[in-house]
């Protein structure tokens, strides 16, 4: 192989640049250029709709109607009825998010390739997104209620003598969270899966791996970071559950979730600082769960999955 | 790892075909591969090479035909039970596993003892000279290194057959040459049986013991490199084997091994490939390096005055394009320092000018195919 020696680049080629142009180059190298203005609407949007209300609420939560700056937080954690809403909410949101993710994986895995009718199946699985929580709750009341189809079938088959109680309790809210959360989880998992190069599994097959080994040793590890992200998103969706907790749950008892506590503080007692404090607690809990999951995620392989997509 | 016993003495493809919907990607591939042989599947993009390889590997079910490993039918086995190694065009390394884990993957799937896995993986990594990169992830390696990992991962299992799908096409020219030698070295030192897919005729000629030329899913010719190089079975193969000059002409007369052809008053004498009768439409083909360039002189057989039009510098030689008085464009290679506008005389040895029948029918006639293979009789190369 011949060695080609390029002539040394002639120094000071071209006219000397003005200091202004020089700065432009330095900035452009760091991604600062005219296109940055394209971000302006998004930045404004975030400021107006997220940051301002957040900091307003944060400030408000430290100005209780009586007592020191932390007295509303103390009030919340000191009252076991209020404090219990945390566990109630976690008890709903964590299992629901987990089930959403776990149920999505095999279905999305089966559907990752191309096949006839894929679009129809996808639409059917995704339709609940478009229904909204209230309509879903309405459907659940009809379907799972004491005189709903589900119980009628059970009784018709002599499987039970009296209707199984599936609404106005924990299970009603749980089902509602599955129905609304699953489509999100499914779509996310499907897109993460299609980002994994299918030749990797083919390579594993030629190396002697059966389908379960291929899934466990190749696809699942590459999918795990996506599953963690999906879990976080569906968890956040489930954690802020409010309408279904009221409509198909038992809002005074076993499904008195934290958002109901905040709602009552704000709109029944008109104690905005207290409601803000509860909202802040809610945010902090979400943040803790997400941090734990994302921290675990950093221990996983998160680079390119070797293929397109 | 050397001296592996091949899992078969003969692998036979019997009418292997694959359709996609209404499109035939591969039609009736008959091929017998001897243990220890290096076979190249050669053809332009989209001709069905990868389809053939995937059918062999078990990654695509056949729509017709069968594959036999000696007396055992294997085309019904899933890929994980065939025991063939495969090297993919994009390497398909597991991105979340280190080089060592990638190479050990197949051994782990076989549930071999831990010590043996470690020993054999280390040996394979040494074989492709990647010892100091064994702990890295594939993303931290260069293209050539990734390719070597892919090869080590495939050969560590001592597969009875190694399949390679354009393994060098993503590498730069220099690395491609190096890896080519490396692949041939591994094939010989490990006693592998290899089926190698490529669209690069030079790669196929230099690596393979036997070439299979495909076009539109059909076999055009099977034979050793010399045969394909000097005597392509039809003008499609010739086109692919570097016969850049392919002129549509008409046969004037045919006497045994000599045919006289003509186009626009330009007459040539050449060597017929197949049956040619006077009046037939033919294609006359010659390689650029078989066109001789002289100073203009007197007329002789297969000699014509021409003018150089385009010249490309190619190291020791020049590649040039000339136009004859009759208006025919001629590609040539010469070590004469010709320049555009030069008047020259071009001549072609009648033995180097092949005259192919110009049937628009794309099927090669059966006798041109050599299904038995030429290496059967050569002892010492097998195993
Ligand atoms: N999965 C597929 N579905 C439909 N057509 C395919 C598929 N795979 C390959 N083909 C078609 O089969 C033909 C041969 O493809 P392939 O074997 O990949 O060619 P190549 O020789 O370039 O490797 C092409 O025309 C291609 O379009
Ligand atoms: Mg291909």
């Amino acid at each position: 192989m011949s060695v080609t020696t390029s002539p040394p680049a002639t120094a000071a080629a071209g006219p000397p640049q003005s200091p202004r142009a020089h700065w432009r180059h330095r900035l452009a190298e760091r991604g600062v250029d005219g296109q940055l203005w394209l971000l302006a609407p998004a930045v404004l949007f975030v400021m107006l709709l997220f940051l301002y209300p957040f900091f307003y609420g944060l400030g408000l939560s430290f100005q209780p109607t009586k007592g020191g700056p932390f007295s509303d937080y103390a009030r919340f954690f000191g009252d076991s009825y209020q404090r219990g809403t945390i566990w109630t909410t976690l008890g709903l949101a964590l299992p629901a998010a987990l089930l959403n993710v776990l149920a999505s994986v095999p279905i999305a895995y089966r559907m990752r390739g191309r096949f006839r009718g894929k679009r129809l199946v996808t639409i059917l699985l995704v339709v609940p997104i478009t229904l909204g929580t209230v309509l879903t709750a309405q459907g659940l009341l009809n379907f799972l209620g004491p005189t709903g189809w589900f119980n009628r079938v059970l009784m018709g088959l002599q499987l039970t003598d009296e209707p199984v109680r599936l609404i106005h309790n924990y299970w009603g809210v749980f089902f509602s969270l599955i129905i609304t959360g699953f489509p999100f989880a499914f779509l996310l998992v499907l897109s993460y899966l299609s980002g994994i190069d299918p030749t990797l599994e083919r390579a594993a097959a030629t190396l002697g791996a059966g389908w379960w080994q291929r899934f466990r040793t190749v696809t699942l590890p590459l999918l795990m970071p996506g599953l963690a992200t999906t879990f976080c998103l569906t968890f956040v969706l489930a954690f802020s559950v409010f309408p279904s907790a009221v409509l198909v749950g038992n809002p005074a008892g076993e499904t008195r979730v934290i958002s109901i506590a905040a709602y009552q503080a704000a709109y029944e007692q008109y104690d905005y600082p207290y409601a803000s404090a509860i909202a802040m607690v809610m945010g902090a809990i979400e943040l803790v769960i997400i941090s734990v999951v994302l921290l675990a995620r950093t221990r996983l392989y998160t680079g390119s999955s070797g293929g397109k997509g | 790892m050397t001296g592996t016993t091949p899992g078969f003495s003969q692998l036979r493809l019997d009418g292997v075909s694959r359709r996609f919907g209404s499109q035939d990607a591969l039609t009736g591939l008959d091929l017998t591969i001897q243990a220890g042989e290096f076979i190249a599947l050669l053809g332009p993009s989209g001709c069905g090479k990868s389809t053939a390889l995937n059918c062999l590997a078990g990654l695509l079910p056949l729509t017709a035909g069968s594959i036999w490993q000696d007396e055992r039918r294997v085309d019904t086995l899933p890929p994980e039970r065939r025991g063939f190694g495969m090297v993919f065009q994009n390497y398909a390394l597991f991105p979340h596993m280190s080089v060592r884990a990638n190479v050990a993957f197949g051994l782990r799937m076989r549930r071999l003892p831990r010590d043996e896995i470690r020993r054999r993986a280390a040996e394979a990594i040494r074989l492709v000279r990647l010892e100091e990169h064994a702990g890295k992830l594939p993303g931290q390696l260069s293209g050539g290194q990734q390719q070597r990992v892919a090869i080590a991962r495939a050969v560590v299992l001592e597969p009875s057959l190694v399949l390679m799908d354009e393994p060098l096409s993503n590498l730069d020219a220099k690395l491609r040459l190096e890896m080519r030698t490396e692949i041939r070295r591994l094939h010989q030192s490990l006693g592998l049986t290899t089926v190698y897919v490529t669209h690069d005729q030079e790669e196929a000629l230099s690596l393979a013991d036997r070439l299979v030329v495909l076009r539109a899913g059909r076999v055009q010719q099977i034979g050793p490199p010399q045969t394909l190089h000097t005597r392509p079975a039809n003008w499609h193969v010739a086109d692919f084997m570097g016969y850049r000059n392919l002129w549509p002409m008409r046969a004037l007369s045919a006497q045994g091994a000599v045919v006289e052809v003509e186009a626009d008053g330009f007459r040539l004498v050449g060597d017929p490939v197949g049956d040619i009768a006077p009046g037939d439409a033919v294609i006359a083909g010659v390689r650029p390096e078989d066109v001789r360039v002289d100073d203009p002189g007197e007329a002789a057989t297969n000699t014509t005055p021409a003018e150089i039009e385009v010249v490309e510098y190619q190291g020791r030689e020049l590649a040039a394009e000339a136009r004859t008085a009759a208006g025919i464009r001629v590609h040539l290679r010469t070590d004469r320092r010709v320049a555009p506008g030069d008047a020259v005389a071009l001549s072609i040895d009648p033995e180097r000018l092949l005259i192919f029948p110009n049937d628009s029918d794309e099927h090669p006639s059966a006798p041109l195919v050599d299904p038995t293979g030429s290496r059967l009789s050569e002892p010492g190369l097998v195993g």
Side-chain angles (χ1 to χ4, degrees), chain B residues 49-50 89 165-166:
Chain B
K49 308 181 295 289
S50 299
Q89 184 169 1
D165 193 353
E166 311 213 19

Side-chain angles (χ1 to χ4, degrees), chain B residues 232 234-249 282-288 328-331 353-356:
Chain B
N234 60 41
W235 69 266
H236 298 297
V237 179
D239 190 17
F240 212 73
M241 301 308 296
Y243 286 70
R244 283 194 73 195
N245 298 302
L246 290 169
W247 304 307
M249 300 181 108
V282 297
I283 294 211
V286 67
R287 298 173 167 281
I328 290 174
R329 196 174 299 170
V330 184
H331 296 280
L353 183 73
L354 300 182
I355 311 294
F356 303 99

Side-chain angles (χ1 to χ4, degrees), chain B residues 288-306:
Chain B
E289 55 267 37
D290 290 333
V291 178
R292 207 170 49 243
V293 182
D294 294 303
D295 291 327
E298 52 221 64
T301 317
N302 278 7
T303 300
T304 176

Side-chain angles (χ1 to χ4, degrees), chain B residues 11-326:
Chain B
L11 189 83
R12 188 156 49 85
L13 286 77
D14 197 357
V16 169
S17 308
R18 171 70 206 193
R19 280 173 151 262
F20 291 107
S22 61
Q23 186 199 2
D24 283 308
L26 186 68
T27 314
L29 172 61
D30 295 317
L31 177 69
T32 304
I33 301 167
Q34 305 298 323
E37 219 176 357
F38 197 122
I39 300 273
L41 291 184
L42 178 64
S45 178
C47 71
K49 308 181 295 289
S50 299
T51 304
L53 211 65
N54 287 328
C55 285
L56 255 176
L59 297 169
L60 265 182
L62 314 186
T63 37
S66 53
I67 302 171
W68 299 82
Q69 197 171 305
D70 293 327
E71 294 316 309
R72 197 163 72 103
R73 185 167 177 174
V74 296
D75 61 273
T76 46
L77 295 178
E80 61 266 27
R81 307 230 347 254
R82 293 199 191 183
F84 298 163
M86 181 141 174
V87 179
F88 293 82
Q89 184 169 1
N90 67 355
Y91 318 136
L93 298 178
F94 306 127
H96 56 302
M97 296 183 199
S98 67
V99 167
R100 196 179 288 118
N102 263 283
V103 174
F105 184 85
L107 301 167
R108 271 203 297 135
M109 292 301 121
R110 296 213 174 160
R111 305 187 188 288
L112 295 177
R114 215 169 261 257
D115 291 346
E116 190 181 348
I117 294 180
R118 198 170 312 126
R119 183 179 54 75
R120 281 173 64 176
E123 203 177 342
I125 290 169
R126 188 162 53 248
L127 200 67
V128 294
R129 293 173 237 166
L130 284 175
E131 293 98 322
E132 66 265 46
H133 303 290
K136 290 187 185 170
L137 291 177
Q140 299 166 308
L141 301 179
S142 72
Q145 290 166 339
Q146 291 186 35
Q147 185 55 273
R148 294 217 286 270
V149 178
I151 293 172
R153 187 178 68 173
V155 301
V156 73
L157 293 171
E158 307 180 358
S160 56
L161 181 68
V162 179
L163 307 166
M164 302 197 186
D165 193 353
E166 311 213 19
L168 306 185
S169 62
N170 288 344
L171 303 181
D172 60 62
K174 180 172 180 289
L175 207 51
R176 205 147 55 210
L177 281 179
E178 285 173 15
M179 287 301 298
R180 197 154 100 185
T181 318
E182 188 109 354
I183 286 173
R184 185 72 216 189
R185 178 176 68 81
L186 283 175
H187 170 82
Q188 278 164 356
S189 64
L190 299 181
L192 301 172
T193 309
T194 308
V195 177
Y196 184 101
V197 159
T198 178
H199 63 260
D200 182 343
Q201 50 111 0
E202 215 183 294
E203 211 170 278
L205 287 172
S206 64
L207 279 172
D209 302 317
R210 215 144 51 93
L211 279 71
V212 178
V213 182
L214 287 173
R215 192 181 111 82
R218 288 174 187 280
V219 172
Q220 303 291 299
Q221 191 173 10
I222 300 180
Q226 303 83 338
T227 310
L228 272 92
H229 194 257
T230 55
R231 207 145 179 94
N234 60 41
W235 69 266
H236 298 297
V237 179
D239 190 17
F240 212 73
M241 301 308 296
Y243 286 70
R244 283 194 73 195
N245 298 302
L246 290 169
W247 304 307
M249 300 181 108
R250 190 157 294 279
L252 291 176
S253 65
Q255 293 135 8
V258 183
V259 180
E260 190 172 14
V261 294
E262 183 261 356
D264 301 326
F266 178 46
R267 290 187 177 209
L268 287 169
V269 174
D271 187 359
V273 180
D275 288 336
I276 288 165
D280 282 359
V282 297
I283 294 211
V286 67
R287 298 173 167 281
E289 55 267 37
D290 290 333
V291 178
R292 207 170 49 243
V293 182
D294 294 303
D295 291 327
E298 52 221 64
T301 317
N302 278 7
T303 300
T304 176
E307 187 187 313
I308 302 288
E309 289 196 327
V310 185
V311 174
E312 277 174 48
Y313 175 73
Q314 298 199 335
R316 194 172 298 183
E317 282 185 323
L318 294 177
E321 202 178 287
R323 193 180 288 275
T324 69

